[in-house]
PDB file of all heavy atoms in Angstrom:
ATOM      1  N   SER A 283      -9.455  16.423  25.603  1.00  0.00           N
ATOM      2  CA  SER A 283      -8.015  16.246  25.585  1.00  0.00           C
ATOM      3  C   SER A 283      -7.261  17.556  25.620  1.00  0.00           C
ATOM      4  O   SER A 283      -6.049  17.572  25.759  1.00  0.00           O
ATOM      5  CB  SER A 283      -7.608  15.499  24.314  1.00  0.00           C
ATOM      6  OG  SER A 283      -7.876  16.307  23.191  1.00  0.00           O
ATOM      7  N   GLY A 284      -7.954  18.644  25.436  1.00  0.00           N
ATOM      8  CA  GLY A 284      -7.271  19.924  25.421  1.00  0.00           C
ATOM      9  C   GLY A 284      -6.517  20.181  24.132  1.00  0.00           C
ATOM     10  O   GLY A 284      -5.663  21.045  24.069  1.00  0.00           O
ATOM     11  N   SER A 285      -6.799  19.406  23.089  1.00  0.00           N
ATOM     12  CA  SER A 285      -6.038  19.568  21.851  1.00  0.00           C
ATOM     13  C   SER A 285      -6.559  20.688  20.977  1.00  0.00           C
ATOM     14  O   SER A 285      -5.966  21.015  19.967  1.00  0.00           O
ATOM     15  CB  SER A 285      -6.063  18.251  21.058  1.00  0.00           C
ATOM     16  OG  SER A 285      -7.398  17.888  20.759  1.00  0.00           O
ATOM     17  N   GLY A 286      -7.713  21.226  21.322  1.00  0.00           N
ATOM     18  CA  GLY A 286      -8.171  22.415  20.621  1.00  0.00           C
ATOM     19  C   GLY A 286      -8.975  22.164  19.379  1.00  0.00           C
ATOM     20  O   GLY A 286      -9.323  23.098  18.681  1.00  0.00           O
ATOM     21  N   ASN A 287      -9.281  20.919  19.035  1.00  0.00           N
ATOM     22  CA  ASN A 287     -10.108  20.698  17.859  1.00  0.00           C
ATOM     23  C   ASN A 287     -11.527  20.348  18.283  1.00  0.00           C
ATOM     24  O   ASN A 287     -11.786  20.082  19.453  1.00  0.00           O
ATOM     25  CB  ASN A 287      -9.516  19.600  16.958  1.00  0.00           C
ATOM     26  CG  ASN A 287      -9.523  18.246  17.630  1.00  0.00           C
ATOM     27  OD1 ASN A 287     -10.586  17.675  17.835  1.00  0.00           O
ATOM     28  ND2 ASN A 287      -8.347  17.740  17.983  1.00  0.00           N
ATOM     29  N   GLN A 288     -12.434  20.342  17.309  1.00  0.00           N
ATOM     30  CA  GLN A 288     -13.840  20.150  17.641  1.00  0.00           C
ATOM     31  C   GLN A 288     -14.188  18.690  17.895  1.00  0.00           C
ATOM     32  O   GLN A 288     -15.315  18.369  18.265  1.00  0.00           O
ATOM     33  CB  GLN A 288     -14.702  20.677  16.490  1.00  0.00           C
ATOM     34  CG  GLN A 288     -14.556  19.865  15.196  1.00  0.00           C
ATOM     35  CD  GLN A 288     -15.268  20.498  14.039  1.00  0.00           C
ATOM     36  OE1 GLN A 288     -14.677  21.191  13.233  1.00  0.00           O
ATOM     37  NE2 GLN A 288     -16.572  20.267  13.975  1.00  0.00           N
ATOM     38  N   TYR A 289     -13.226  17.788  17.713  1.00  0.00           N
ATOM     39  CA  TYR A 289     -13.494  16.364  17.879  1.00  0.00           C
ATOM     40  C   TYR A 289     -12.753  15.813  19.098  1.00  0.00           C
ATOM     41  O   TYR A 289     -12.042  14.836  19.020  1.00  0.00           O
ATOM     42  CB  TYR A 289     -13.086  15.595  16.623  1.00  0.00           C
ATOM     43  CG  TYR A 289     -13.758  16.097  15.378  1.00  0.00           C
ATOM     44  CD1 TYR A 289     -13.041  16.742  14.382  1.00  0.00           C
ATOM     45  CD2 TYR A 289     -15.131  15.949  15.209  1.00  0.00           C
ATOM     46  CE1 TYR A 289     -13.671  17.204  13.236  1.00  0.00           C
ATOM     47  CE2 TYR A 289     -15.772  16.420  14.079  1.00  0.00           C
ATOM     48  CZ  TYR A 289     -15.028  17.052  13.094  1.00  0.00           C
ATOM     49  OH  TYR A 289     -15.656  17.525  11.975  1.00  0.00           O
ATOM     50  N   ASN A 290     -12.888  16.496  20.242  1.00  0.00           N
ATOM     51  CA  ASN A 290     -12.145  16.070  21.428  1.00  0.00           C
ATOM     52  C   ASN A 290     -13.048  15.749  22.619  1.00  0.00           C
ATOM     53  O   ASN A 290     -12.576  15.668  23.737  1.00  0.00           O
ATOM     54  CB  ASN A 290     -11.105  17.124  21.822  1.00  0.00           C
ATOM     55  CG  ASN A 290     -11.731  18.491  22.075  1.00  0.00           C
ATOM     56  OD1 ASN A 290     -12.930  18.591  22.303  1.00  0.00           O
ATOM     57  ND2 ASN A 290     -10.915  19.530  22.012  1.00  0.00           N
ATOM     58  N   SER A 291     -14.342  15.581  22.376  1.00  0.00           N
ATOM     59  CA  SER A 291     -15.270  15.228  23.445  1.00  0.00           C
ATOM     60  C   SER A 291     -16.032  13.969  23.054  1.00  0.00           C
ATOM     61  O   SER A 291     -16.262  13.716  21.868  1.00  0.00           O
ATOM     62  CB  SER A 291     -16.257  16.363  23.710  1.00  0.00           C
ATOM     63  OG  SER A 291     -15.572  17.509  24.178  1.00  0.00           O
ATOM     64  N   TYR A 292     -16.438  13.206  24.075  1.00  0.00           N
ATOM     65  CA  TYR A 292     -17.076  11.918  23.826  1.00  0.00           C
ATOM     66  C   TYR A 292     -18.311  11.749  24.692  1.00  0.00           C
ATOM     67  O   TYR A 292     -18.359  12.208  25.822  1.00  0.00           O
ATOM     68  CB  TYR A 292     -16.091  10.764  24.111  1.00  0.00           C
ATOM     69  CG  TYR A 292     -14.873  10.827  23.227  1.00  0.00           C
ATOM     70  CD1 TYR A 292     -13.734  11.511  23.637  1.00  0.00           C
ATOM     71  CD2 TYR A 292     -14.886  10.227  21.981  1.00  0.00           C
ATOM     72  CE1 TYR A 292     -12.642  11.598  22.819  1.00  0.00           C
ATOM     73  CE2 TYR A 292     -13.789  10.310  21.157  1.00  0.00           C
ATOM     74  CZ  TYR A 292     -12.665  10.996  21.577  1.00  0.00           C
ATOM     75  OH  TYR A 292     -11.567  11.086  20.758  1.00  0.00           O
ATOM     76  N   TYR A 293     -19.287  11.054  24.112  1.00  0.00           N
ATOM     77  CA  TYR A 293     -20.416  10.597  24.916  1.00  0.00           C
ATOM     78  C   TYR A 293     -20.004   9.343  25.676  1.00  0.00           C
ATOM     79  O   TYR A 293     -19.136   8.584  25.242  1.00  0.00           O
ATOM     80  CB  TYR A 293     -21.614  10.270  24.026  1.00  0.00           C
ATOM     81  CG  TYR A 293     -22.263  11.470  23.391  1.00  0.00           C
ATOM     82  CD1 TYR A 293     -22.090  11.739  22.037  1.00  0.00           C
ATOM     83  CD2 TYR A 293     -23.051  12.329  24.142  1.00  0.00           C
ATOM     84  CE1 TYR A 293     -22.684  12.845  21.447  1.00  0.00           C
ATOM     85  CE2 TYR A 293     -23.662  13.435  23.554  1.00  0.00           C
ATOM     86  CZ  TYR A 293     -23.464  13.680  22.214  1.00  0.00           C
ATOM     87  OH  TYR A 293     -24.056  14.770  21.631  1.00  0.00           O
ATOM     88  N   THR A 294     -20.641   9.091  26.799  1.00  0.00           N
ATOM     89  CA  THR A 294     -20.473   7.827  27.511  1.00  0.00           C
ATOM     90  C   THR A 294     -21.514   6.844  27.005  1.00  0.00           C
ATOM     91  O   THR A 294     -22.392   7.183  26.204  1.00  0.00           O
ATOM     92  CB  THR A 294     -20.645   8.022  29.020  1.00  0.00           C
ATOM     93  OG1 THR A 294     -22.011   8.368  29.280  1.00  0.00           O
ATOM     94  CG2 THR A 294     -19.732   9.113  29.551  1.00  0.00           C
ATOM     95  N   ASN A 295     -21.428   5.603  27.507  1.00  0.00           N
ATOM     96  CA  ASN A 295     -22.440   4.614  27.151  1.00  0.00           C
ATOM     97  C   ASN A 295     -23.833   5.066  27.590  1.00  0.00           C
ATOM     98  O   ASN A 295     -24.823   4.778  26.934  1.00  0.00           O
ATOM     99  CB  ASN A 295     -22.112   3.273  27.823  1.00  0.00           C
ATOM    100  CG  ASN A 295     -20.782   2.721  27.363  1.00  0.00           C
ATOM    101  OD1 ASN A 295     -20.504   2.696  26.184  1.00  0.00           O
ATOM    102  ND2 ASN A 295     -19.960   2.290  28.314  1.00  0.00           N
ATOM    103  N   ALA A 296     -23.880   5.803  28.707  1.00  0.00           N
ATOM    104  CA  ALA A 296     -25.180   6.171  29.278  1.00  0.00           C
ATOM    105  C   ALA A 296     -25.764   7.435  28.658  1.00  0.00           C
ATOM    106  O   ALA A 296     -26.977   7.543  28.515  1.00  0.00           O
ATOM    107  CB  ALA A 296     -25.047   6.356  30.784  1.00  0.00           C
ATOM    108  N   ASN A 297     -24.902   8.393  28.276  1.00  0.00           N
ATOM    109  CA  ASN A 297     -25.464   9.677  27.873  1.00  0.00           C
ATOM    110  C   ASN A 297     -25.410   9.951  26.374  1.00  0.00           C
ATOM    111  O   ASN A 297     -25.623  11.069  25.947  1.00  0.00           O
ATOM    112  CB  ASN A 297     -24.763  10.826  28.621  1.00  0.00           C
ATOM    113  CG  ASN A 297     -23.349  11.108  28.102  1.00  0.00           C
ATOM    114  OD1 ASN A 297     -22.832  10.403  27.232  1.00  0.00           O
ATOM    115  ND2 ASN A 297     -22.725  12.143  28.633  1.00  0.00           N
ATOM    116  N   ARG A 298     -25.133   8.908  25.562  1.00  0.00           N
ATOM    117  CA  ARG A 298     -25.153   9.136  24.118  1.00  0.00           C
ATOM    118  C   ARG A 298     -26.568   9.520  23.693  1.00  0.00           C
ATOM    119  O   ARG A 298     -27.550   9.145  24.341  1.00  0.00           O
ATOM    120  CB  ARG A 298     -24.682   7.886  23.376  1.00  0.00           C
ATOM    121  CG  ARG A 298     -25.606   6.704  23.538  1.00  0.00           C
ATOM    122  CD  ARG A 298     -25.199   5.574  22.620  1.00  0.00           C
ATOM    123  NE  ARG A 298     -26.004   4.392  22.834  1.00  0.00           N
ATOM    124  CZ  ARG A 298     -27.223   4.216  22.364  1.00  0.00           C
ATOM    125  NH1 ARG A 298     -27.799   5.195  21.663  1.00  0.00           N
ATOM    126  NH2 ARG A 298     -27.891   3.110  22.597  1.00  0.00           N
ATOM    127  N   PRO A 299     -26.729  10.242  22.588  1.00  0.00           N
ATOM    128  CA  PRO A 299     -28.047  10.664  22.138  1.00  0.00           C
ATOM    129  C   PRO A 299     -28.969   9.477  21.850  1.00  0.00           C
ATOM    130  O   PRO A 299     -28.559   8.494  21.242  1.00  0.00           O
ATOM    131  CB  PRO A 299     -27.747  11.440  20.846  1.00  0.00           C
ATOM    132  CG  PRO A 299     -26.329  11.842  20.965  1.00  0.00           C
ATOM    133  CD  PRO A 299     -25.642  10.759  21.730  1.00  0.00           C
ATOM    134  N   ARG A 300     -30.196   9.565  22.312  1.00  0.00           N
ATOM    135  CA  ARG A 300     -31.155   8.474  22.123  1.00  0.00           C
ATOM    136  C   ARG A 300     -32.102   8.737  20.964  1.00  0.00           C
ATOM    137  O   ARG A 300     -32.984   7.929  20.689  1.00  0.00           O
ATOM    138  CB  ARG A 300     -31.981   8.276  23.405  1.00  0.00           C
ATOM    139  CG  ARG A 300     -31.122   8.006  24.631  1.00  0.00           C
ATOM    140  CD  ARG A 300     -30.463   6.654  24.592  1.00  0.00           C
ATOM    141  NE  ARG A 300     -29.456   6.486  25.643  1.00  0.00           N
ATOM    142  CZ  ARG A 300     -28.805   5.359  25.871  1.00  0.00           C
ATOM    143  NH1 ARG A 300     -29.027   4.306  25.112  1.00  0.00           N
ATOM    144  NH2 ARG A 300     -27.915   5.286  26.841  1.00  0.00           N
ATOM    145  N   ASP A 301     -31.926   9.870  20.292  1.00  0.00           N
ATOM    146  CA  ASP A 301     -32.861  10.239  19.236  1.00  0.00           C
ATOM    147  C   ASP A 301     -32.307   9.883  17.850  1.00  0.00           C
ATOM    148  O   ASP A 301     -32.727  10.452  16.853  1.00  0.00           O
ATOM    149  CB  ASP A 301     -33.176  11.732  19.301  1.00  0.00           C
ATOM    150  CG  ASP A 301     -31.933  12.598  19.150  1.00  0.00           C
ATOM    151  OD1 ASP A 301     -30.814  12.049  19.273  1.00  0.00           O
ATOM    152  OD2 ASP A 301     -32.074  13.812  18.924  1.00  0.00           O
ATOM    153  N   ARG A 302     -31.333   8.968  17.809  1.00  0.00           N
ATOM    154  CA  ARG A 302     -30.763   8.592  16.520  1.00  0.00           C
ATOM    155  C   ARG A 302     -30.374   7.119  16.532  1.00  0.00           C
ATOM    156  O   ARG A 302     -30.293   6.491  17.578  1.00  0.00           O
ATOM    157  CB  ARG A 302     -29.561   9.477  16.192  1.00  0.00           C
ATOM    158  CG  ARG A 302     -28.404   9.369  17.181  1.00  0.00           C
ATOM    159  CD  ARG A 302     -27.461  10.553  17.078  1.00  0.00           C
ATOM    160  NE  ARG A 302     -28.097  11.779  17.556  1.00  0.00           N
ATOM    161  CZ  ARG A 302     -27.540  12.970  17.508  1.00  0.00           C
ATOM    162  NH1 ARG A 302     -26.338  13.109  16.999  1.00  0.00           N
ATOM    163  NH2 ARG A 302     -28.180  14.028  17.953  1.00  0.00           N
ATOM    164  N   LEU A 303     -30.141   6.579  15.344  1.00  0.00           N
ATOM    165  CA  LEU A 303     -29.764   5.174  15.219  1.00  0.00           C
ATOM    166  C   LEU A 303     -28.416   4.921  15.884  1.00  0.00           C
ATOM    167  O   LEU A 303     -27.507   5.744  15.818  1.00  0.00           O
ATOM    168  CB  LEU A 303     -29.665   4.798  13.734  1.00  0.00           C
ATOM    169  CG  LEU A 303     -30.959   4.838  12.919  1.00  0.00           C
ATOM    170  CD1 LEU A 303     -30.649   4.717  11.438  1.00  0.00           C
ATOM    171  CD2 LEU A 303     -31.889   3.723  13.361  1.00  0.00           C
ATOM    172  N   PHE A 304     -28.301   3.752  16.514  1.00  0.00           N
ATOM    173  CA  PHE A 304     -27.033   3.354  17.122  1.00  0.00           C
ATOM    174  C   PHE A 304     -27.002   1.832  17.111  1.00  0.00           C
ATOM    175  O   PHE A 304     -27.044   1.173  18.143  1.00  0.00           O
ATOM    176  CB  PHE A 304     -26.958   3.897  18.554  1.00  0.00           C
ATOM    177  CG  PHE A 304     -25.571   4.302  18.977  1.00  0.00           C
ATOM    178  CD1 PHE A 304     -24.928   5.368  18.367  1.00  0.00           C
ATOM    179  CD2 PHE A 304     -24.905   3.628  19.999  1.00  0.00           C
ATOM    180  CE1 PHE A 304     -23.663   5.764  18.765  1.00  0.00           C
ATOM    181  CE2 PHE A 304     -23.649   4.011  20.399  1.00  0.00           C
ATOM    182  CZ  PHE A 304     -23.012   5.085  19.782  1.00  0.00           C
ATOM    183  N   ALA A 305     -26.954   1.259  15.903  1.00  0.00           N
ATOM    184  CA  ALA A 305     -27.167  -0.167  15.703  1.00  0.00           C
ATOM    185  C   ALA A 305     -25.860  -0.947  15.790  1.00  0.00           C
ATOM    186  O   ALA A 305     -24.927  -0.694  15.025  1.00  0.00           O
ATOM    187  CB  ALA A 305     -27.826  -0.416  14.348  1.00  0.00           C
ATOM    188  N   ASN A 306     -25.800  -1.888  16.755  1.00  0.00           N
ATOM    189  CA  ASN A 306     -24.676  -2.816  16.903  1.00  0.00           C
ATOM    190  C   ASN A 306     -23.391  -2.172  17.382  1.00  0.00           C
ATOM    191  O   ASN A 306     -22.336  -2.810  17.369  1.00  0.00           O
ATOM    192  CB  ASN A 306     -24.376  -3.555  15.582  1.00  0.00           C
ATOM    193  CG  ASN A 306     -25.495  -4.466  15.155  1.00  0.00           C
ATOM    194  OD1 ASN A 306     -26.437  -4.711  15.907  1.00  0.00           O
ATOM    195  ND2 ASN A 306     -25.418  -4.959  13.945  1.00  0.00           N
ATOM    196  N   VAL A 307     -23.419  -0.912  17.787  1.00  0.00           N
ATOM    197  CA  VAL A 307     -22.185  -0.226  18.185  1.00  0.00           C
ATOM    198  C   VAL A 307     -21.710  -0.789  19.525  1.00  0.00           C
ATOM    199  O   VAL A 307     -22.485  -0.862  20.482  1.00  0.00           O
ATOM    200  CB  VAL A 307     -22.410   1.290  18.305  1.00  0.00           C
ATOM    201  CG1 VAL A 307     -21.116   1.992  18.725  1.00  0.00           C
ATOM    202  CG2 VAL A 307     -22.913   1.852  16.979  1.00  0.00           C
ATOM    203  N   PRO A 308     -20.431  -1.198  19.635  1.00  0.00           N
ATOM    204  CA  PRO A 308     -19.920  -1.714  20.919  1.00  0.00           C
ATOM    205  C   PRO A 308     -19.931  -0.625  21.985  1.00  0.00           C
ATOM    206  O   PRO A 308     -19.977   0.573  21.673  1.00  0.00           O
ATOM    207  CB  PRO A 308     -18.479  -2.138  20.593  1.00  0.00           C
ATOM    208  CG  PRO A 308     -18.414  -2.225  19.099  1.00  0.00           C
ATOM    209  CD  PRO A 308     -19.404  -1.236  18.583  1.00  0.00           C
ATOM    210  N   PRO A 309     -19.862  -1.017  23.256  1.00  0.00           N
ATOM    211  CA  PRO A 309     -19.778  -0.015  24.323  1.00  0.00           C
ATOM    212  C   PRO A 309     -18.497   0.801  24.222  1.00  0.00           C
ATOM    213  O   PRO A 309     -17.492   0.345  23.675  1.00  0.00           O
ATOM    214  CB  PRO A 309     -19.781  -0.857  25.612  1.00  0.00           C
ATOM    215  CG  PRO A 309     -20.288  -2.201  25.204  1.00  0.00           C
ATOM    216  CD  PRO A 309     -19.904  -2.390  23.775  1.00  0.00           C
ATOM    217  N   MET A 310     -18.540   2.017  24.765  1.00  0.00           N
ATOM    218  CA  MET A 310     -17.354   2.866  24.805  1.00  0.00           C
ATOM    219  C   MET A 310     -16.272   2.179  25.633  1.00  0.00           C
ATOM    220  O   MET A 310     -16.551   1.654  26.713  1.00  0.00           O
ATOM    221  CB  MET A 310     -17.712   4.215  25.431  1.00  0.00           C
ATOM    222  CG  MET A 310     -16.544   5.193  25.515  1.00  0.00           C
ATOM    223  SD  MET A 310     -16.016   5.789  23.913  1.00  0.00           S
ATOM    224  CE  MET A 310     -15.022   7.206  24.392  1.00  0.00           C
ATOM    225  N   PRO A 311     -15.028   2.120  25.143  1.00  0.00           N
ATOM    226  CA  PRO A 311     -13.960   1.480  25.918  1.00  0.00           C
ATOM    227  C   PRO A 311     -13.773   2.127  27.285  1.00  0.00           C
ATOM    228  O   PRO A 311     -14.039   3.320  27.462  1.00  0.00           O
ATOM    229  CB  PRO A 311     -12.713   1.691  25.042  1.00  0.00           C
ATOM    230  CG  PRO A 311     -13.241   1.952  23.675  1.00  0.00           C
ATOM    231  CD  PRO A 311     -14.552   2.642  23.853  1.00  0.00           C
ATOM    232  N   LYS A 312     -13.298   1.332  28.227  1.00  0.00           N
ATOM    233  CA  LYS A 312     -13.105   1.846  29.580  1.00  0.00           C
ATOM    234  C   LYS A 312     -12.001   2.885  29.631  1.00  0.00           C
ATOM    235  O   LYS A 312     -12.084   3.861  30.368  1.00  0.00           O
ATOM    236  CB  LYS A 312     -12.780   0.692  30.522  1.00  0.00           C
ATOM    237  CG  LYS A 312     -12.624   1.109  31.980  1.00  0.00           C
ATOM    238  CD  LYS A 312     -12.384  -0.091  32.871  1.00  0.00           C
ATOM    239  CE  LYS A 312     -12.264   0.330  34.337  1.00  0.00           C
ATOM    240  NZ  LYS A 312     -12.028  -0.834  35.227  1.00  0.00           N
ATOM    241  N   TYR A 313     -10.944   2.667  28.839  1.00  0.00           N
ATOM    242  CA  TYR A 313      -9.809   3.589  28.865  1.00  0.00           C
ATOM    243  C   TYR A 313      -9.685   4.307  27.523  1.00  0.00           C
ATOM    244  O   TYR A 313      -9.801   3.701  26.465  1.00  0.00           O
ATOM    245  CB  TYR A 313      -8.516   2.836  29.170  1.00  0.00           C
ATOM    246  CG  TYR A 313      -8.514   2.211  30.535  1.00  0.00           C
ATOM    247  CD1 TYR A 313      -8.730   0.850  30.690  1.00  0.00           C
ATOM    248  CD2 TYR A 313      -8.342   2.984  31.679  1.00  0.00           C
ATOM    249  CE1 TYR A 313      -8.752   0.267  31.945  1.00  0.00           C
ATOM    250  CE2 TYR A 313      -8.376   2.415  32.941  1.00  0.00           C
ATOM    251  CZ  TYR A 313      -8.583   1.054  33.064  1.00  0.00           C
ATOM    252  OH  TYR A 313      -8.615   0.493  34.310  1.00  0.00           O
ATOM    253  N   VAL A 314      -9.464   5.607  27.599  1.00  0.00           N
ATOM    254  CA  VAL A 314      -9.288   6.435  26.412  1.00  0.00           C
ATOM    255  C   VAL A 314      -7.823   6.381  26.016  1.00  0.00           C
ATOM    256  O   VAL A 314      -6.946   6.674  26.831  1.00  0.00           O
ATOM    257  CB  VAL A 314      -9.731   7.888  26.681  1.00  0.00           C
ATOM    258  CG1 VAL A 314      -9.493   8.747  25.462  1.00  0.00           C
ATOM    259  CG2 VAL A 314     -11.205   7.919  27.066  1.00  0.00           C
ATOM    260  N   LEU A 315      -7.544   6.040  24.765  1.00  0.00           N
ATOM    261  CA  LEU A 315      -6.172   5.789  24.346  1.00  0.00           C
ATOM    262  C   LEU A 315      -5.536   6.943  23.580  1.00  0.00           C
ATOM    263  O   LEU A 315      -4.599   6.761  22.836  1.00  0.00           O
ATOM    264  CB  LEU A 315      -6.125   4.530  23.473  1.00  0.00           C
ATOM    265  CG  LEU A 315      -6.577   3.244  24.148  1.00  0.00           C
ATOM    266  CD1 LEU A 315      -6.545   2.094  23.158  1.00  0.00           C
ATOM    267  CD2 LEU A 315      -5.702   2.928  25.343  1.00  0.00           C
ATOM    268  N   GLY A 316      -6.054   8.164  23.746  1.00  0.00           N
ATOM    269  CA  GLY A 316      -5.435   9.290  23.052  1.00  0.00           C
ATOM    270  C   GLY A 316      -5.725   9.284  21.570  1.00  0.00           C
ATOM    271  O   GLY A 316      -6.860   9.119  21.138  1.00  0.00           O
TER     272      GLY A 316
END
Side-chain angles (χ1 to χ4, degrees):
S283 66
S285 59
N287 66 69
Q288 67 187 98
Y289 303 112
N290 57 19
S291 296
Y292 299 91
Y293 290 106
T294 67
N295 298 313
N297 74 355
R298 65 172 176 79
R300 303 290 170 175
D301 59 345
R302 62 198 69 184
L303 295 169
F304 215 66
N306 295 350
V307 180
M310 180 69 164
K312 183 176 181 180
Y313 297 103
V314 178
L315 298 177

